[in-house]
Amino acid sequence: KKLKLDENDIDFMIGDLTKEEAQLVLTRLLRKISEDDMRTQIEIVRHARNQVTQEQIEKQMAQVKQLTELRNALPSPGVMSPMYIPFGGGGGGDEGFGSPYQAPSSGISSGRLRAIKNRVRDSFKKRRNLPGKTHMVKLDILEEDFSKVKDYAAKGSIKNALIMLEAITEEFADRVAEISQDNIHEIEVCLQTLGNHWLDLFLNDAYDLSEDEREEWYEKIRSWDTSAADDGALTTAKWAAKYGWQDENLKKILEGGVSEDEEITFKEPNSLTVARLNILERDKKFEQAFNLAKAVNLGLHASKFLMRLNKIDEAVESALQLSDSSKIYGIAQIARPINLSAAFTLAVASMEKEWNTWIPERAQWIIDLANVENVVDDLVQKVSSSIKCRSIQFSFAKLLFQKGNALESFALAQNALKGNSLEELRTIYADLIDRGIKSAPVVAPGEKEPELNKTQLLKIMPECDLPNSLPNWLWSTAVKAYETACEQKLLKESSKTTDIIGRDLTPIIDQLKEKPTELLTCCLELVESVDQLVRLMGSCVAKEAYSEVNQIGSRCLDLIIAQQKVDKEFQENRIALEFKHKQLVNEGTDVPQFEPPIPDYHRYNYEKKKQEVCSVMLNAALKHKEHFKEQQRIAENLENETSTAGEPTPMVHEETEEEIAKRQKKIEECSKVLEHVTELAVVKINNPEDLLNSAKSMSQRQEYRLSLKIAHKAFNQVSELVKQREIIDAKFETFAAQQQEINLLLSQKLKPSSEQIEAYRKLALEKEYETLLPAFAQCTVTQYIRKWYRIAYQILQTALQSKVSTELEERMTDDEITKEVEAVIKYVKHPKNMCNLVDLFWNQKEYSLIHFVGEKVYSAIDEIYQQFLLRVPVEIEIQELIAEQDALQANGGKELGDTQKQRLEDLKTQLDSLPPRSFYELDCAESFENAKWSILSHRVKATLALKASLESQITSFSSSIDNTDDRIKQLEKELEEVNNLIPTVLQTVLERTSSPFHLYDLMNILKASQLQEIPSIAGRAFVIIDKLDEE
């Protein structure tokens, strides 16, 4: 009042204030005036831009006071509704500020527009907690203004709507320019919101302005558009401002008046067309929307609107042409309430478009829909036929099971087990190339693309191969489902309740009962990968499904042997082709580089894989048998238990004869199965090392007779391999001789005959084939002899261990053990190995066996020793003469004398006539003497130990209650035989021992035996020492 400020001054002063700043100024001013004046000033400030006089304000404040007094006078003020007292009086004024009973005016006052702009400025808030940003925009402050714009447009007052939105946008653009767009948080979102509001206006039916006016609005929007996106809402809005719905071609398209042959020109940004389609969809003008989408080739929208129009087949056909799977899935969701079959087809197609990408949300939507509509079978059929990626089919099967659709899950997984044919794989690969998912094979210009085989295609498209865990999951889950159903049934029967946690499987329990067997049969028929079947065997062992283990194992062995045969033929063919190619190259023929053929089968380390399968089968059969044996052992222990004096007798369940007989029958059945599996392993496994390991494993499980059976097979295999190696070695000696002969002819510039060349090439090819032999078949004869010894040692050790077996049927008699020794001892060639076997018998206290093998072993060692003594002196003399010859040559080029030369030739001739040196010869004479003495000393110790054992047994039996005269007489007879044997043994040892040190050892052995031979042994030792002293 003092300064006499007019309205323009007030606008100038407060126009740039933020909301917080204006509130602070008003608060300070209003504190200095009365309540009535304060209310008056508040209304003045709120409507500072309105043309309201002081008199009008005072009049209205009086009305407010009267109404307040009237409300207080009423008995129940709560019944009185809040009343809005409008400002502005009788004549004219801004729309919304006049009396509610007056008709709205045709324009928006400048004061109203200024208020809108102030709210726009207030929507910009300073923020410090936004990294790199200083402001954010709270558009919710303008919600009422945006609603008013929509109201104007809905009532047809398009110009008022345009003016109001212009004020918002203009102030928004100014404020953005002041702050800088880079400093505003999520500015693109705000621009998008503004653009959408402009689109609603420009694509409103009431937007029917002249071309000049539309051009003017185009320029305005363009000046405000600061978005970086070409398809931003404001960018789209400017084109909508320019075109509206006035284009004649557009009208014709919307009406569907364009024939297929007619060419019509209609160009506009794609984002504007999409905006038009959204508007038409919102207004449910589906026919017009489809016409427009079809005209501009927007397949997604065309499909969507066809679906809305209930043109199902056309909609599905159109949607399937889309490349974006998410769009197909969107149309499937639209089709859900319209046509269930179409929804399934499109949803599954959206998964197939992704090829090998699993999208669980989509899959769950599809399965939930199928469950709600009770069409899970149809879903299984569609997934099986449409989706070629077997890993996706497997994922669908697992999700179905989680959703409680057990039978449908198994059906889908069974379909996934079925492999694709070669033609189907080629078709799938061609389709993936067309879709850009897979790359085509690289070929040189002008060359034909190679025809890929099945293995190559599966390597390129591993998604089409069987998932590794599918067979195992299928059978294990079926077993689990049946177990769950049985538990649920038992729970229902015991608790008399129908409340089951999770999906109730009891209604399908009969079907689930047969599922494991059915699915296992399916796996055995369809699965070709041994690795997958071996994993399934492991699950069967864990579930104690032992018969299933044998089924799978037999199938695995058949597959391995079949693939091994195919591999051998393939590799021989490859070697033959490569060999022929090398010949052509060597002959100078111009041939292209050799391209080896590509295998089309499963490849393994065949022998190792057979051993793995047989090992699982043997362990499963042993585990099954041991289960019943443990039951038998527990029953026997309980039967033998006695109670302590003074304590109550323990309650023991006495088995019936029927139970005992039943368990014994089970044990016999398990033994037969174990024997069958052993026979299978013996037949299928070709590597003697693998058989030896199996024999050791069986021996550790106290299956001694089966262990011996396996070891015998290993022994025979080594014999066959030795024969095979000898044939190969002889053949290659011939090859080396032919090669040497041909080289000699060539060195003399002579041409070999065609017969020589052909024979040489044939042997050269056979030598190449040798590389195909497994590693165990490429050993030397020397290595095979070592294998013989290790197997022989295992056989004899197992036979001796069987004597202490708890199972009577596993124990071997002395005669059986003697036969085993006799069968294998002849294959033990090395003196050290012979001594080791004698040590084994000594450690096992098998004194009779030492006598049995002692003479044979001693003779074998002595024979090798005699050959050694014949050859070594000759070799030494030859070496000395050669050394002397070399020394003479070094000193003046002299030579040996004629006598010496002749002697050297005679010695070489003599050496050639002697047996060649064998690998099992020892390094020196002393080693031979020690080996022979080891055998002799063991014979003496065994004889004395046997005597002491018999004497102890006779003493023990004489004082035992189990004493029988026949047994004592038998022992005394055996003792007499041993006593008669002792002099013979000692005499033999004395005659064969030539070392005084060995004789001294013999004296120590006899020291505690009370024998009278020690003085004579000492005398012989002195005689030998005297002779050595003379030498």
Side-chain angles (χ1 to χ4, degrees), residues 19 21 44 47 107 178 253 274 549 610 730 752 760 868 925 992:
K19 181 177 180 180
E21 293 168 343
I44 291 173
H47 307 287
E178 292 173 10
I253 289 171
V274 173
V549 172
K610 284 192 283 188
Y760 172 78
F868 174 86
R992 291 176 174 178

Side-chain angles (χ1 to χ4, degrees), residues 722-734:
V722 168
K723 293 178 183 178
Q724 177 180 309
R725 173 48 54 190
E726 288 173 346
I727 293 172
I728 292 174
D729 289 345
K731 188 182 297 182
F732 292 151
E733 284 177 7
T734 304

Side-chain angles (χ1 to χ4, degrees), residues 944 947-948 951 1001-1012 1014:
L944 298 177
K947 175 186 176 184
E951 290 174 345
D1001 292 340
L1002 179 59
M1003 291 165 64
N1004 283 325
I1005 294 171
L1006 299 176
K1007 187 166 56 175
S1009 62
Q1010 298 180 356
L1011 296 176
Q1012 305 300 319
I1014 292 179

Side-chain angles (χ1 to χ4, degrees), residues 456-649:
Q456 290 174 295
L457 289 169
L458 288 177
K459 187 175 181 180
I460 297 171
M461 303 180 295
E463 305 87 355
C464 290
D465 207 351
L466 182 65
N468 284 329
S469 58
L470 174 54
N472 182 52
W473 178 89
L474 187 56
W475 183 83
S476 302
T477 307
V479 173
K480 179 182 177 182
Y482 178 63
E483 291 174 350
T484 303
C486 292
E487 291 172 0
Q488 291 175 344
K489 182 179 179 181
L490 186 62
L491 181 63
K492 283 184 177 182
E493 293 173 351
S494 61
S495 59
K496 306 300 182 182
T497 179
T498 58
D499 295 335
I500 297 295
I501 299 175
R503 188 68 176 264
D504 186 4
L505 298 176
T506 54
I508 58 173
I509 189 171
D510 292 335
Q511 294 164 282
L512 291 175
K513 182 179 180 180
E514 304 300 328
K515 274 297 170 185
T517 303
E518 175 189 335
L519 295 176
L520 180 64
T521 303
C522 185
C523 288
L524 294 177
E525 291 175 356
L526 300 176
V527 179
E528 297 179 353
S529 170
V530 174
D531 292 327
Q532 294 172 353
L533 291 176
V534 168
R535 181 182 295 186
L536 179 55
M537 286 176 72
S539 296
C540 293
V541 172
K543 289 290 184 180
E544 298 183 355
Y546 300 113
S547 60
E548 286 82 350
V549 172
N550 293 333
Q551 283 181 269
I552 301 170
S554 299
R555 171 63 175 163
C556 285
L557 292 173
D558 291 341
L559 285 173
I560 294 169
I561 292 171
Q563 294 299 333
Q564 190 175 17
K565 182 179 179 181
V566 171
D567 182 62
K568 183 175 182 293
E569 294 174 354
F570 174 84
Q571 296 297 343
E572 287 179 348
N573 179 58
R574 176 188 61 78
I575 288 175
L577 292 174
E578 189 173 7
F579 186 80
K580 186 177 181 181
H581 182 271
K582 287 180 180 178
Q583 285 182 354
L584 294 174
V585 171
N586 293 335
E587 292 170 0
T589 307
D590 186 14
V591 291
Q593 185 178 356
F594 178 71
E595 294 289 341
I598 306 298
D600 190 16
Y601 52 88
H602 290 279
R603 302 176 72 181
Y604 312 99
N605 183 335
Y606 300 104
E607 296 304 327
K608 182 178 180 181
K609 191 60 66 176
K610 284 192 283 188
Q611 165 66 11
E612 181 182 356
V613 172
C614 290
S615 177
V616 175
M617 295 174 70
L618 286 170
N619 285 330
L622 285 167
K623 186 177 179 182
H624 196 195
K625 181 178 179 180
E626 288 168 355
H627 170 72
F628 293 106
K629 296 292 288 185
E630 180 65 16
Q631 289 183 354
Q632 185 181 51
R633 185 187 65 79
I634 293 173
E636 290 174 353
N637 289 343
L638 290 175
E639 185 178 346
N640 295 331
E641 277 187 358
T642 57
S643 59
T644 306
E647 293 184 358
T649 303

Side-chain angles (χ1 to χ4, degrees), residues 338-354:
I338 300 172
N339 187 284
L340 186 62
S341 177
F344 273 132
T345 300
L346 293 175
V348 173
S350 76
M351 295 290 290
E352 193 275 334
K353 284 284 184 184
E354 293 291 343

